[in-house]
Amino acid sequence: MESIEMSKSLKEILSTPIKDTTVSEIRLQVVVGLPLPLIIIYFISLFSPYFISFSFGFLVLGVYMFFIKNIENHFDLYSEEEGKKYSFEGLCVESLLIGLIAFTSFLPFYYHFNKSFGLGVSFGFLIPGILIFIRRKIFTESSRIIEDDDNLELGYHPLAYYILGIVCGFRLLSSSALLFIKYFTKGYPSLLTSIIFLIVSILYLILILSPDLINKVIHFDLRKESSFVKYFILCNIVVEMLIFIAKFLVNFS
């Protein structure tokens, strides 16, 4: 582990941006900074034990931060051309991180209040994050195109598609979870129906988060911001249709 320069005070180390810190400094930031939110969550959980679940999310974040320098060696997290802002690959990694944090934080919390909603939100954050991370070679800066007015278009922006995945994913997966809950508590709809709807939901998420494939069969270019807005609306219309089918199966089985 690198030695921390004695000329730096603890305050300076804690206030230094992550990308400008050494391995020792970033790990000191984690060790010093992580206990405070965990302590706060603990005291809040004394009044409502469900809040303790958020500590899992902070632990995931802490582990990520602790090994951030190792992660930087494997992924190009920052774009040197834009003042060390996150690159598209960095945003893909962040999408996975957000998914893991949301999953570990919200699954226990929401599960106690509304099982189907809790499962839907948790996996609705996690699965799109995993899919975007796996296909990070597609969500790159090279997907951005320059229009006639010299404006750089959106391209296959990871965060834009991650938001799309969350919005569609948590609703579909909540409906899927509801089908399973109804089956195990009421005996309907059938287990096969529930499994098929879950498979269809996941396949649909995989499909809509594959803009390079969709772009080959539609008449507008998804790399343009205006086209993405249309695509976002269209995807949600299909989701509503699938949810309608799920509700029909629950109410009329």
PDB file of all heavy atoms in Angstrom, residues 91-112:
ATOM      1  N   LEU A  91     -19.605   5.005 -16.881  1.00  0.00           N
ATOM      2  CA  LEU A  91     -21.035   5.059 -16.571  1.00  0.00           C
ATOM      3  C   LEU A  91     -21.656   3.661 -16.578  1.00  0.00           C
ATOM      4  O   LEU A  91     -22.603   3.402 -15.836  1.00  0.00           O
ATOM      5  CB  LEU A  91     -21.752   5.964 -17.578  1.00  0.00           C
ATOM      6  CG  LEU A  91     -21.401   7.453 -17.490  1.00  0.00           C
ATOM      7  CD1 LEU A  91     -22.067   8.227 -18.617  1.00  0.00           C
ATOM      8  CD2 LEU A  91     -21.810   8.038 -16.140  1.00  0.00           C
ATOM      9  N   CYS A  92     -21.122   2.776 -17.407  1.00  0.00           N
ATOM     10  CA  CYS A  92     -21.588   1.383 -17.393  1.00  0.00           C
ATOM     11  C   CYS A  92     -21.245   0.723 -16.059  1.00  0.00           C
ATOM     12  O   CYS A  92     -22.062  -0.006 -15.483  1.00  0.00           O
ATOM     13  CB  CYS A  92     -20.954   0.600 -18.541  1.00  0.00           C
ATOM     14  SG  CYS A  92     -21.538   1.062 -20.187  1.00  0.00           S
ATOM     15  N   VAL A  93     -20.036   0.989 -15.577  1.00  0.00           N
ATOM     16  CA  VAL A  93     -19.624   0.454 -14.277  1.00  0.00           C
ATOM     17  C   VAL A  93     -20.482   1.059 -13.172  1.00  0.00           C
ATOM     18  O   VAL A  93     -20.919   0.360 -12.245  1.00  0.00           O
ATOM     19  CB  VAL A  93     -18.127   0.739 -14.016  1.00  0.00           C
ATOM     20  CG1 VAL A  93     -17.732   0.300 -12.610  1.00  0.00           C
ATOM     21  CG2 VAL A  93     -17.261   0.027 -15.052  1.00  0.00           C
ATOM     22  N   GLU A  94     -20.750   2.365 -13.274  1.00  0.00           N
ATOM     23  CA  GLU A  94     -21.583   3.030 -12.275  1.00  0.00           C
ATOM     24  C   GLU A  94     -23.012   2.486 -12.285  1.00  0.00           C
ATOM     25  O   GLU A  94     -23.651   2.389 -11.237  1.00  0.00           O
ATOM     26  CB  GLU A  94     -21.602   4.543 -12.538  1.00  0.00           C
ATOM     27  CG  GLU A  94     -20.288   5.238 -12.249  1.00  0.00           C
ATOM     28  CD  GLU A  94     -19.921   5.182 -10.780  1.00  0.00           C
ATOM     29  OE1 GLU A  94     -20.666   5.725  -9.951  1.00  0.00           O
ATOM     30  OE2 GLU A  94     -18.879   4.578 -10.469  1.00  0.00           O
ATOM     31  N   SER A  95     -23.513   2.138 -13.456  1.00  0.00           N
ATOM     32  CA  SER A  95     -24.859   1.563 -13.545  1.00  0.00           C
ATOM     33  C   SER A  95     -24.932   0.249 -12.777  1.00  0.00           C
ATOM     34  O   SER A  95     -25.907  -0.014 -12.061  1.00  0.00           O
ATOM     35  CB  SER A  95     -25.240   1.336 -15.015  1.00  0.00           C
ATOM     36  OG  SER A  95     -25.294   2.554 -15.723  1.00  0.00           O
ATOM     37  N   LEU A  96     -23.892  -0.560 -12.930  1.00  0.00           N
ATOM     38  CA  LEU A  96     -23.841  -1.819 -12.180  1.00  0.00           C
ATOM     39  C   LEU A  96     -23.757  -1.550 -10.687  1.00  0.00           C
ATOM     40  O   LEU A  96     -24.436  -2.213  -9.882  1.00  0.00           O
ATOM     41  CB  LEU A  96     -22.640  -2.647 -12.636  1.00  0.00           C
ATOM     42  CG  LEU A  96     -22.410  -3.971 -11.885  1.00  0.00           C
ATOM     43  CD1 LEU A  96     -23.605  -4.901 -12.053  1.00  0.00           C
ATOM     44  CD2 LEU A  96     -21.132  -4.645 -12.376  1.00  0.00           C
ATOM     45  N   LEU A  97     -22.950  -0.569 -10.307  1.00  0.00           N
ATOM     46  CA  LEU A  97     -22.809  -0.224  -8.889  1.00  0.00           C
ATOM     47  C   LEU A  97     -24.138   0.248  -8.307  1.00  0.00           C
ATOM     48  O   LEU A  97     -24.549  -0.192  -7.221  1.00  0.00           O
ATOM     49  CB  LEU A  97     -21.753   0.866  -8.723  1.00  0.00           C
ATOM     50  CG  LEU A  97     -21.603   1.449  -7.306  1.00  0.00           C
ATOM     51  CD1 LEU A  97     -21.112   0.381  -6.339  1.00  0.00           C
ATOM     52  CD2 LEU A  97     -20.664   2.651  -7.318  1.00  0.00           C
ATOM     53  N   ILE A  98     -24.820   1.134  -9.027  1.00  0.00           N
ATOM     54  CA  ILE A  98     -26.118   1.634  -8.559  1.00  0.00           C
ATOM     55  C   ILE A  98     -27.102   0.480  -8.414  1.00  0.00           C
ATOM     56  O   ILE A  98     -27.874   0.410  -7.448  1.00  0.00           O
ATOM     57  CB  ILE A  98     -26.668   2.697  -9.531  1.00  0.00           C
ATOM     58  CG1 ILE A  98     -25.784   3.946  -9.499  1.00  0.00           C
ATOM     59  CG2 ILE A  98     -28.112   3.068  -9.168  1.00  0.00           C
ATOM     60  CD1 ILE A  98     -26.118   4.955 -10.577  1.00  0.00           C
ATOM     61  N   GLY A  99     -27.065  -0.438  -9.382  1.00  0.00           N
ATOM     62  CA  GLY A  99     -27.950  -1.592  -9.315  1.00  0.00           C
ATOM     63  C   GLY A  99     -27.696  -2.447  -8.085  1.00  0.00           C
ATOM     64  O   GLY A  99     -28.635  -2.890  -7.415  1.00  0.00           O
ATOM     65  N   LEU A 100     -26.430  -2.671  -7.770  1.00  0.00           N
ATOM     66  CA  LEU A 100     -26.078  -3.478  -6.600  1.00  0.00           C
ATOM     67  C   LEU A 100     -26.469  -2.769  -5.303  1.00  0.00           C
ATOM     68  O   LEU A 100     -26.976  -3.394  -4.365  1.00  0.00           O
ATOM     69  CB  LEU A 100     -24.576  -3.776  -6.605  1.00  0.00           C
ATOM     70  CG  LEU A 100     -24.087  -4.753  -7.680  1.00  0.00           C
ATOM     71  CD1 LEU A 100     -22.569  -4.775  -7.728  1.00  0.00           C
ATOM     72  CD2 LEU A 100     -24.634  -6.153  -7.415  1.00  0.00           C
ATOM     73  N   ILE A 101     -26.227  -1.455  -5.255  1.00  0.00           N
ATOM     74  CA  ILE A 101     -26.582  -0.690  -4.056  1.00  0.00           C
ATOM     75  C   ILE A 101     -28.093  -0.688  -3.853  1.00  0.00           C
ATOM     76  O   ILE A 101     -28.591  -0.914  -2.742  1.00  0.00           O
ATOM     77  CB  ILE A 101     -26.054   0.754  -4.161  1.00  0.00           C
ATOM     78  CG1 ILE A 101     -24.524   0.763  -4.087  1.00  0.00           C
ATOM     79  CG2 ILE A 101     -26.636   1.629  -3.052  1.00  0.00           C
ATOM     80  CD1 ILE A 101     -23.909   2.129  -4.317  1.00  0.00           C
ATOM     81  N   ALA A 102     -28.830  -0.438  -4.931  1.00  0.00           N
ATOM     82  CA  ALA A 102     -30.291  -0.409  -4.832  1.00  0.00           C
ATOM     83  C   ALA A 102     -30.837  -1.779  -4.444  1.00  0.00           C
ATOM     84  O   ALA A 102     -31.759  -1.882  -3.625  1.00  0.00           O
ATOM     85  CB  ALA A 102     -30.896   0.045  -6.160  1.00  0.00           C
ATOM     86  N   PHE A 103     -30.267  -2.824  -5.025  1.00  0.00           N
ATOM     87  CA  PHE A 103     -30.739  -4.181  -4.730  1.00  0.00           C
ATOM     88  C   PHE A 103     -30.543  -4.522  -3.259  1.00  0.00           C
ATOM     89  O   PHE A 103     -31.464  -5.000  -2.585  1.00  0.00           O
ATOM     90  CB  PHE A 103     -29.990  -5.186  -5.602  1.00  0.00           C
ATOM     91  CG  PHE A 103     -30.383  -6.615  -5.351  1.00  0.00           C
ATOM     92  CD1 PHE A 103     -31.553  -7.124  -5.881  1.00  0.00           C
ATOM     93  CD2 PHE A 103     -29.584  -7.444  -4.579  1.00  0.00           C
ATOM     94  CE1 PHE A 103     -31.926  -8.443  -5.645  1.00  0.00           C
ATOM     95  CE2 PHE A 103     -29.943  -8.754  -4.335  1.00  0.00           C
ATOM     96  CZ  PHE A 103     -31.117  -9.258  -4.871  1.00  0.00           C
ATOM     97  N   THR A 104     -29.346  -4.273  -2.747  1.00  0.00           N
ATOM     98  CA  THR A 104     -29.059  -4.621  -1.354  1.00  0.00           C
ATOM     99  C   THR A 104     -29.783  -3.704  -0.371  1.00  0.00           C
ATOM    100  O   THR A 104     -30.080  -4.105   0.756  1.00  0.00           O
ATOM    101  CB  THR A 104     -27.543  -4.551  -1.083  1.00  0.00           C
ATOM    102  OG1 THR A 104     -27.040  -3.268  -1.496  1.00  0.00           O
ATOM    103  CG2 THR A 104     -26.806  -5.632  -1.844  1.00  0.00           C
ATOM    104  N   SER A 105     -30.085  -2.480  -0.803  1.00  0.00           N
ATOM    105  CA  SER A 105     -30.749  -1.530   0.096  1.00  0.00           C
ATOM    106  C   SER A 105     -32.254  -1.715   0.131  1.00  0.00           C
ATOM    107  O   SER A 105     -32.871  -1.713   1.197  1.00  0.00           O
ATOM    108  CB  SER A 105     -30.430  -0.088  -0.333  1.00  0.00           C
ATOM    109  OG  SER A 105     -29.060   0.195  -0.218  1.00  0.00           O
ATOM    110  N   PHE A 106     -32.846  -1.870  -1.044  1.00  0.00           N
ATOM    111  CA  PHE A 106     -34.302  -1.823  -1.136  1.00  0.00           C
ATOM    112  C   PHE A 106     -34.987  -3.174  -1.012  1.00  0.00           C
ATOM    113  O   PHE A 106     -36.157  -3.230  -0.640  1.00  0.00           O
ATOM    114  CB  PHE A 106     -34.723  -1.166  -2.453  1.00  0.00           C
ATOM    115  CG  PHE A 106     -34.355   0.283  -2.539  1.00  0.00           C
ATOM    116  CD1 PHE A 106     -33.759   0.796  -3.678  1.00  0.00           C
ATOM    117  CD2 PHE A 106     -34.599   1.130  -1.481  1.00  0.00           C
ATOM    118  CE1 PHE A 106     -33.414   2.137  -3.761  1.00  0.00           C
ATOM    119  CE2 PHE A 106     -34.262   2.471  -1.550  1.00  0.00           C
ATOM    120  CZ  PHE A 106     -33.669   2.975  -2.694  1.00  0.00           C
ATOM    121  N   LEU A 107     -34.281  -4.255  -1.334  1.00  0.00           N
ATOM    122  CA  LEU A 107     -34.939  -5.560  -1.276  1.00  0.00           C
ATOM    123  C   LEU A 107     -35.474  -5.868   0.124  1.00  0.00           C
ATOM    124  O   LEU A 107     -36.660  -6.164   0.279  1.00  0.00           O
ATOM    125  CB  LEU A 107     -33.994  -6.664  -1.747  1.00  0.00           C
ATOM    126  CG  LEU A 107     -34.589  -8.078  -1.746  1.00  0.00           C
ATOM    127  CD1 LEU A 107     -35.807  -8.142  -2.664  1.00  0.00           C
ATOM    128  CD2 LEU A 107     -33.547  -9.104  -2.193  1.00  0.00           C
ATOM    129  N   PRO A 108     -34.657  -5.780   1.189  1.00  0.00           N
ATOM    130  CA  PRO A 108     -35.208  -6.055   2.523  1.00  0.00           C
ATOM    131  C   PRO A 108     -36.223  -5.002   2.965  1.00  0.00           C
ATOM    132  O   PRO A 108     -37.215  -5.318   3.618  1.00  0.00           O
ATOM    133  CB  PRO A 108     -33.966  -6.034   3.433  1.00  0.00           C
ATOM    134  CG  PRO A 108     -32.799  -6.172   2.515  1.00  0.00           C
ATOM    135  CD  PRO A 108     -33.212  -5.511   1.241  1.00  0.00           C
ATOM    136  N   PHE A 109     -35.984  -3.739   2.591  1.00  0.00           N
ATOM    137  CA  PHE A 109     -36.840  -2.636   3.043  1.00  0.00           C
ATOM    138  C   PHE A 109     -38.243  -2.745   2.452  1.00  0.00           C
ATOM    139  O   PHE A 109     -39.243  -2.765   3.170  1.00  0.00           O
ATOM    140  CB  PHE A 109     -36.198  -1.306   2.650  1.00  0.00           C
ATOM    141  CG  PHE A 109     -36.971  -0.101   3.106  1.00  0.00           C
ATOM    142  CD1 PHE A 109     -36.915   0.319   4.427  1.00  0.00           C
ATOM    143  CD2 PHE A 109     -37.742   0.618   2.216  1.00  0.00           C
ATOM    144  CE1 PHE A 109     -37.619   1.434   4.854  1.00  0.00           C
ATOM    145  CE2 PHE A 109     -38.452   1.734   2.627  1.00  0.00           C
ATOM    146  CZ  PHE A 109     -38.387   2.140   3.949  1.00  0.00           C
ATOM    147  N   TYR A 110     -38.308  -2.826   1.126  1.00  0.00           N
ATOM    148  CA  TYR A 110     -39.614  -2.863   0.477  1.00  0.00           C
ATOM    149  C   TYR A 110     -40.301  -4.219   0.633  1.00  0.00           C
ATOM    150  O   TYR A 110     -41.517  -4.320   0.587  1.00  0.00           O
ATOM    151  CB  TYR A 110     -39.475  -2.527  -1.010  1.00  0.00           C
ATOM    152  CG  TYR A 110     -39.314  -1.058  -1.289  1.00  0.00           C
ATOM    153  CD1 TYR A 110     -38.194  -0.574  -1.946  1.00  0.00           C
ATOM    154  CD2 TYR A 110     -40.292  -0.149  -0.891  1.00  0.00           C
ATOM    155  CE1 TYR A 110     -38.041   0.779  -2.205  1.00  0.00           C
ATOM    156  CE2 TYR A 110     -40.148   1.202  -1.140  1.00  0.00           C
ATOM    157  CZ  TYR A 110     -39.026   1.663  -1.800  1.00  0.00           C
ATOM    158  OH  TYR A 110     -38.880   2.989  -2.050  1.00  0.00           O
ATOM    159  N   TYR A 111     -39.503  -5.264   0.794  1.00  0.00           N
ATOM    160  CA  TYR A 111     -40.085  -6.602   0.872  1.00  0.00           C
ATOM    161  C   TYR A 111     -41.076  -6.704   2.027  1.00  0.00           C
ATOM    162  O   TYR A 111     -42.087  -7.391   1.939  1.00  0.00           O
ATOM    163  CB  TYR A 111     -38.972  -7.634   1.036  1.00  0.00           C
ATOM    164  CG  TYR A 111     -39.454  -9.062   1.008  1.00  0.00           C
ATOM    165  CD1 TYR A 111     -39.720  -9.694  -0.196  1.00  0.00           C
ATOM    166  CD2 TYR A 111     -39.656  -9.774   2.186  1.00  0.00           C
ATOM    167  CE1 TYR A 111     -40.166 -11.002  -0.230  1.00  0.00           C
ATOM    168  CE2 TYR A 111     -40.102 -11.084   2.164  1.00  0.00           C
ATOM    169  CZ  TYR A 111     -40.349 -11.693   0.954  1.00  0.00           C
ATOM    170  OH  TYR A 111     -40.799 -12.985   0.928  1.00  0.00           O
ATOM    171  N   HIS A 112     -40.806  -5.997   3.118  1.00  0.00           N
ATOM    172  CA  HIS A 112     -41.677  -6.071   4.289  1.00  0.00           C
ATOM    173  C   HIS A 112     -42.954  -5.249   4.116  1.00  0.00           C
ATOM    174  O   HIS A 112     -43.934  -5.482   4.808  1.00  0.00           O
ATOM    175  CB  HIS A 112     -40.920  -5.598   5.532  1.00  0.00           C
ATOM    176  CG  HIS A 112     -39.878  -6.560   6.004  1.00  0.00           C
ATOM    177  ND1 HIS A 112     -40.175  -7.688   6.729  1.00  0.00           N
ATOM    178  CD2 HIS A 112     -38.532  -6.580   5.833  1.00  0.00           C
ATOM    179  CE1 HIS A 112     -39.064  -8.353   7.002  1.00  0.00           C
ATOM    180  NE2 HIS A 112     -38.055  -7.702   6.469  1.00  0.00           N
TER     181      HIS A 112
END
